Amino acid sequence: PVNELKQFEAGLKLRNGPLSAFVTYFDAKTQEDGAFEITTRQYLKDSFSSRGVEAELAYRAGAFGVTGGVTFTNAKLTSGPNSGKKPRRQADMIYQVSPTYSMGNLSLGGSLVGTGKSFAQNDNKVVLPAYMITNFFATYAVTDKITVIGTINNVFNTLAYTEAEDQNNLGNNPLYIARALNGRSMKAAVRYSF
């Protein structure tokens, strides 16, 4: 089986002092003739159309810096019984923002990573809700060779489903197995460079 992709991209880049900005337009058409889905043990033969805009930004002012990006996508299936619907797990918007601040040997930062709602499957019956994950980190250079690192991921313990698979159809109650991002977790480490 051969999968085909026809894609066009055009973009602009701006770099001016502490600011970097990038904007890209994309238009893609995909034909899958052999994507294998393990859970259903079927070969998928779907066609997709996707177009959108991706924007990225980076800015630094002294000890403060921030990077971020957002992608807006308008995607749809163009073949089969679900033609015209949204492809599974494809949100209209995904984004991330990562600020940092440095004070001597101490660096603090975090990130916000999020997505709009999407659908579990191409039939668009089950919604995977939008979510935003917040992460924090701190590093402290004790010496030139020793750094202490602390991180907290998913600070607010957000329930964030990334995918779900239809396992059985029990009357009007389909059974789905869903996968989620890890809940709140913390980690501390000491790094030694030599």
Side-chain angles (χ1 to χ4, degrees):
V2 176
N3 297 329
E4 295 182 13
L5 169 66
K6 296 178 182 176
Q7 182 165 316
F8 169 80
E9 288 188 11
L12 297 171
K13 294 182 179 182
L14 168 68
R15 287 194 175 127
N16 186 11
L19 175 68
S20 295
F22 310 92
V23 178
T24 304
Y25 168 81
F26 60 89
D27 190 330
K29 292 179 177 44
T30 305
Q31 171 65 49
E32 291 183 343
D33 283 332
F36 185 71
E37 185 176 61
I38 293 174
T39 54
T40 62
R41 290 174 278 177
Q42 295 178 358
Y43 282 97
L44 303 178
K45 295 188 175 187
D46 293 318
S47 297
F48 306 90
S49 172
S50 176
R51 64 178 50 117
V53 175
E54 180 180 62
E56 298 173 81
L57 177 76
Y59 181 78
R60 176 147 300 276
F64 175 76
V66 64
T67 60
V70 62
T71 302
F72 296 98
T73 305
N74 181 10
K76 65 180 178 179
L77 291 149
T78 56
S79 68
N82 295 309
S83 183
K85 295 184 178 178
K86 290 197 170 294
R88 62 182 172 172
R89 305 175 198 148
Q90 177 62 63
D92 289 342
M93 180 183 70
I94 58 173
Y95 59 91
Q96 76 282 343
V97 179
S98 300
T100 58
Y101 187 78
S102 298
M103 300 173 288
N105 292 349
L106 177 66
S107 293
L108 302 171
S111 64
L112 300 175
V113 180
T115 180
K117 75 172 186 177
S118 63
F119 294 100
Q121 297 294 319
N122 290 341
D123 59 14
N124 291 182
K125 290 180 180 177
V126 174
V127 173
L128 299 175
Y131 63 82
M132 181 179 72
I133 301 295
T134 304
N135 307 303
F136 291 133
F137 77 87
T139 64
Y140 183 77
V142 179
T143 68
D144 290 343
K145 296 185 175 187
I146 299 173
T147 304
V148 177
I149 304 164
T151 61
I152 305 174
N153 294 316
N154 197 356
V155 173
F156 301 110
N157 208 30
T158 301
L159 181 58
Y161 292 112
T162 59
E163 58 185 303
E165 301 288 346
D166 185 358
Q167 297 299 303
N168 291 307
N169 193 350
L170 306 174
N172 291 326
N173 299 310
L175 175 65
Y176 275 75
I177 292 180
R179 292 163 193 85
L181 295 177
N182 289 336
R184 183 185 306 113
S185 63
M186 293 173 265
K187 180 171 74 170
V190 176
R191 182 174 62 212
Y192 178 75
S193 302
F194 56 91

